[in-house]
């Protein structure tokens, strides 16, 4: 009888072990991003973002939003120092060997686009693979998108380290820290 009970529990034990391995494979991180431009620089890349710019990435919502920790760094990116912060956002994101993507945006949406919009894709463990695709958009008086600048770069990040991504007149600061 005892052997039958143990045998009946075996599938449950195996399922719980598999579930815990999956949970260990994905760790939760705080991701914080600052997108900024050099003051007086309004370059236009000529290419406009596609309508599917988020490409099935999950939006940052109230449940994943986190408190900002790079406020000191953001405050230094002011007009007196020759910069303008365009987006400053923080969220929690699970990261594993498979890529997870988050859609970020700020400002009022106009015909499916925002003044600043993009996708942050992350994968990895101690070294985190970043694929960023950020658009800074300009609209005409009718709300039609007429010009864009783009930061699209891939980088390897160290967990907890602040990383600068340069793209001419635009820049990106990102820190990915374990929670």
């Amino acid at each position: 009888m005892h052997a039958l009970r143990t045998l009946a529990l075996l599938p449950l034990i195996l399922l719980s072990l598999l579930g815990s391995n999956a949970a260990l494979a994905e760790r939760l991180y705080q991701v914080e991003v600052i997108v900024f431009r050099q003051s007086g620089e309004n370059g236009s890349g000529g290419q406009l973002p596609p309508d599917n710019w988020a490409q099935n990435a999950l939006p940052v919502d109230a449940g994943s939003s986190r408190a900002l920790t790079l406020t000191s760094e953001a405050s230094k990116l002011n007009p007196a120092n020759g910069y303008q912060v365009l987006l400053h956002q923080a969220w929690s994101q699970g990261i594993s060997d498979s890529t997870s993507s988050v859609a970020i945006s700020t400002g009022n949406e106009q015909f499916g686009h925002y003044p600043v919009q993009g996708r942050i894709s992350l994968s990895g463990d101690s070294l985190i693979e970043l694929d960023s695709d950020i658009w800074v958009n300009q609209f005409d008086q009718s709300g039609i998108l007429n010009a864009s600048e783009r930061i699209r770069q891939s980088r390897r990040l160290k967990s907890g380290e602040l990383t600068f991504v340069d793209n001419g007149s635009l820049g990106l600061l990102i820190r990915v820290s374990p929670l």
Side-chain angles (χ1 to χ4, degrees):
M1 191 66 144
H2 181 64
L4 269 174
R5 195 174 332 150
T6 304
L7 189 58
L9 289 175
L10 188 59
L12 291 174
I13 293 169
L14 288 174
L15 282 174
S16 70
L17 287 174
L18 288 173
S20 66
N21 285 341
L24 290 174
E26 181 174 277
R27 294 193 56 199
L28 197 59
Y29 288 83
Q30 174 163 326
V31 181
E32 188 164 357
V33 170
I34 301 171
V35 178
F36 62 95
R37 87 163 60 250
Q38 292 181 1
S39 294
E41 298 284 329
N42 279 333
S44 173
Q47 180 184 6
L48 299 178
D51 288 338
N52 66 342
W53 60 270
Q55 295 180 349
N56 299 321
L58 296 174
V60 175
D61 60 14
S64 62
S65 188
R66 306 282 300 179
L68 301 175
T69 61
L70 297 175
T71 53
S72 174
E73 290 80 355
S75 69
K76 294 173 186 171
L77 297 169
N78 60 47
N81 291 330
Y83 300 99
Q84 175 190 8
V85 172
L86 304 172
L87 176 141
H88 187 184
Q89 200 165 12
W91 63 91
S92 59
Q93 181 174 349
I95 300 175
S96 67
D97 289 338
S98 59
T99 302
S100 66
S101 297
V102 171
I104 58 174
S105 62
T106 189
N108 295 324
E109 182 250 342
Q110 298 186 42
F111 302 109
H113 294 282
Y114 297 84
V116 180
Q117 64 189 36
R119 202 176 62 256
I120 299 288
S121 300
L122 300 168
S123 64
D125 193 15
S126 59
L127 287 177
I128 298 167
E129 299 293 330
L130 163 70
D131 183 25
S132 63
D133 194 7
I134 311 292
W135 298 85
V136 177
N137 300 317
Q138 297 173 3
F139 300 90
D140 67 15
Q141 292 181 356
S142 305
I144 305 295
L145 182 61
N146 64 6
S148 293
E149 295 174 84
R150 185 180 192 187
I151 301 174
R152 183 173 189 184
Q153 290 194 20
S154 297
R155 288 277 173 94
R156 187 167 278 164
L157 310 175
K158 287 186 181 178
S159 179
E161 189 174 281
L162 184 61
T163 302
F164 171 61
V165 177
D166 186 16
N167 194 55
S169 64
L170 295 176
L172 171 82
L173 288 174
I174 183 168
R175 182 165 56 196
V176 181
S177 303
L179 290 174

